[in-house]
Amino acid sequence: MKKKIALIIVLTVIAIFSVLVGSFSEAEESNYQMPFLKTEATGNFFTQPADTSPVEIIDRRPELETAGYEPMAATDKLELYCLKPTLGIAVYDRRSGYTWYSSYPKIAGLPNPPTGVVASRIASGVTIEYYDGNGAVITAATLSLTENAAKAKTVYRSLDNGFIAEIDFTAVGIKFNVVVTIVDNALRVVIPDESIVEYEVDRLMRLLNFQLKSIMLFPYFGSENYEINGYAMIPDGSGALIRYTDIPSATGFIKRIYGPDYGMATSTSTNLHLKPTPAVGLPIYGVAHGYNQAAFLAEIISGAGAAEIHSYPYLYNNIPINTTFFKLITRDTFRLEISSGEAITLLNSAPYPYDYALEYRFLQNQAANYVGMAQAYRESLGLSPQAPAAQRVPLRLIMLGVDYKPGLFGKKYQTMTDFSQALAIIKSLENNDVEDFQITYLGWNRGGYYNNRSSGRKISRQLGAIDLLNDYIKEKKYKIDYTVNPLISDRYGFGAKTIKKINLSPFKIEQKSSLVNTAYYLAPSTLAAAIKSNGKYYHKKQIEAFNIDNLAAAFSYRYQNEVFYREMMTSLIPEELEQLTDFTLSTANPHDYLLAYLCNYYNAPYQSNKYIYVTDSVPFLSLLLSGFINLYAPEVNYLSDYYLAALRMIEYNLYPSFIITSSEAHHLRYTNFEYLLSTEYRLWENLIIEIYKTVNEALGRVRGQGLVEHGYPVWGVAKVVYNDGTVI
């Protein structure tokens, strides 16, 4: 089939900015002044042009035999080898001819090679951290298999497709099994929960107890340094690359998957002036060696609720190696306040009660890059492709309805956008060639968004009749959802099904409100019932879709004297969503276990967090979800550079979003939404129209399609390809 080419060619960033400046300046009765920011396209906000340097690929199997590796299993695609004294493994990919090692095989050839404990840990297939609670203070220490032969022993048992390593760290009384197998094109590594045993150790006539803190499986699998063309892909923001360079780094990427577990940890205070760093929502990372030659995608299949991603750039910890791995946390500490006002640190009495399972899928040739990693990961998510859609981009408008401020006799309610005004705004934009809408109504319920009592589930009378708005949206085949917050209560106890932290304290959440600072989490098991209890009312009012706030919150908690660890919660929430199939669901920044239940992904990141060691931002999320879930950018009226935002939406296949009100924003003074400084539709109308036209001209023709290619042919020029062959 002949390729279709959409001619949106960006010769330089400045050239496209000049075109946009011209088009914006021609808008009549403009109520804003557009800022112009000159942007260099060489920073890590962008993607670097591809380095096409190859890596050397030769058959390393004779070297493995010489080094003492034993063949353990084989498929038609992979061969698995093991160096038993260290539990080192090597995987030979028959399709690419590349060999992946769990240690760094060239360590002896480094100018200043690591020695001692560091060298032992690089060679070891397993390293543990453990707590020593035998003294007055609980401390943590690290131990690998190879530091001292007297401190650990390993027994191997063969399987048809791999082996079981029975590991016993005799020095600290901790043992567990590691099951290593190959299936098709994947390496699977499992630590069964029931195999983890902690026993007393006799030292100088004294029985001591040590507790397992974490396990690092093959932490140097795929490690390399600047001598080859390679990178690590980490799920930071939109996606990030850490290319192998010889630039020393004193910091590394260390993030808890799904963010800190605030059921265990103490939450930090929210600062309304600072934008919080998004949590890591995908339990994956990738490693690529060479240009389209060899790569793998690593994924946590089980146990992501208690795991971290570690990615170490060159010379982090003074080790001249780049490596990326998962740390599997088996036990956390938490602080318990006692009556004297002091706090003591406690440990979970036992390791987390679930298996840890990892899978490494090996990629070759044209799939051996971050694009191929996204396509490989999508296979495990169970997503359904979108139905064919009209060739036009939806504009998301977050419309704030009603809120309150303190009054002389209680609450004084302020209407910002009633239903008739919302309809008028839609028709006004239609007259200016805006062709499709995704409306999100915020504060549509009695008392406003921050009224979490039962009356808050009905439509506010102050907004007027909803029927005309819903009828019009249905007639035009637009979409509308209503923001709800069913996992939050404005009061603790007294009939509310609130939960506690693991340390038995109330589970508070700091809200963004200017008035209601503290709220409380409700039991996740009440999520579906909170919405279904008013199901007949919602359907009568044609409310068929919800934007669920705080849906991505993931934590450990106590409810009705039962402990729920975060891994359990990540299974419970999908069970609740399964009961809401009568409604279309959306949320902001969802985690992996939510994606199969969503129609829209709001506040999709359009860059990485741009840490100093990150070399590139890439659209990993867009490559993963385009054609399956609608991706909407953050609200444009709170971004600093509208031109660059428009270009990035086109590059990343993101749809534009604005938050607006019909009334002037000064009416929000003293309300919960006082922090929204500029929302009046009249002031933003021209920008909304111009941004929409710019994005729609490019993305309208590929709506509902998947991204199959992304790259920068030269600095500052992005190229994306869709699955029907369209090139932008």
Side-chain angles (χ1 to χ4, degrees), residues 612-646:
I612 191 169
Y613 48 79
V614 167
T615 56
D616 309 52
S617 294
V618 295
F620 185 85
L621 269 175
S622 300
L623 290 160
L624 177 69
L625 300 178
S626 290
F628 295 84
I629 298 176
N630 298 318
L631 296 165
Y632 289 86
E635 294 85 74
V636 176
N637 43 340
Y638 287 93
L639 300 179
S640 60
D641 188 337
Y642 311 133
Y643 307 113
L644 195 59

Side-chain angles (χ1 to χ4, degrees), residues 244-320:
Y244 299 165
T245 72
D246 59 356
I247 301 174
S249 179
T251 56
F253 182 84
I254 302 174
K255 286 282 185 93
R256 188 79 174 245
I257 296 171
Y258 309 141
D261 184 350
Y262 289 126
M264 295 282 190
T266 302
S267 59
T268 55
S269 297
T270 302
N271 190 326
L272 298 182
H273 303 287
L274 297 177
K275 184 178 180 180
T277 302
V280 171
L282 305 177
I284 60 165
Y285 69 85
V287 170
H289 290 178
Y291 176 69
N292 292 348
Q293 290 180 280
F296 67 78
L297 175 76
E299 178 185 0
I300 300 180
I301 305 299
S302 174
E308 293 175 343
I309 298 177
H310 289 232
S311 190
Y312 300 163
Y314 179 69
L315 277 184
Y316 176 73
N317 286 338
N318 291 318
I319 300 176

Side-chain angles (χ1 to χ4, degrees), residues 357-379:
L358 312 180
E359 184 169 279
Y360 303 79
R361 271 164 281 176
F362 297 94
L363 310 171
Q364 310 77 31
N365 305 322
Q366 297 301 314
N369 47 54
Y370 61 88
V371 178
M373 294 172 192
Q375 294 170 346
Y377 182 44
R378 191 189 309 122
E379 295 175 4

Side-chain angles (χ1 to χ4, degrees), residues 80-98:
L80 173 63
Y81 297 82
C82 180
L83 186 62
K84 290 184 176 179
T86 64
L87 187 53
I89 62 169
V91 177
Y92 175 73
D93 188 336
R94 288 177 167 176
R95 295 160 299 172
S96 67
Y98 199 72

Side-chain angles (χ1 to χ4, degrees), residues 402-405 411-415 446-448 451 460 462:
V402 66
D403 197 49
Y404 65 85
K405 61 183 70 174
K411 296 177 180 178
K412 178 182 178 182
Y413 290 95
Q414 176 67 51
T415 300
R446 292 179 189 174
N451 179 9
S460 172
Q462 292 176 262

Side-chain angles (χ1 to χ4, degrees), residues 38-61:
K38 182 177 179 180
T39 304
E40 295 293 339
T42 55
N44 60 7
F45 177 80
F46 302 95
T47 306
Q48 296 182 17
D51 181 350
T52 58
S53 303
V55 295
E56 181 185 38
I57 296 182
I58 61 175
D59 191 341
R60 304 281 183 186
R61 287 175 290 182

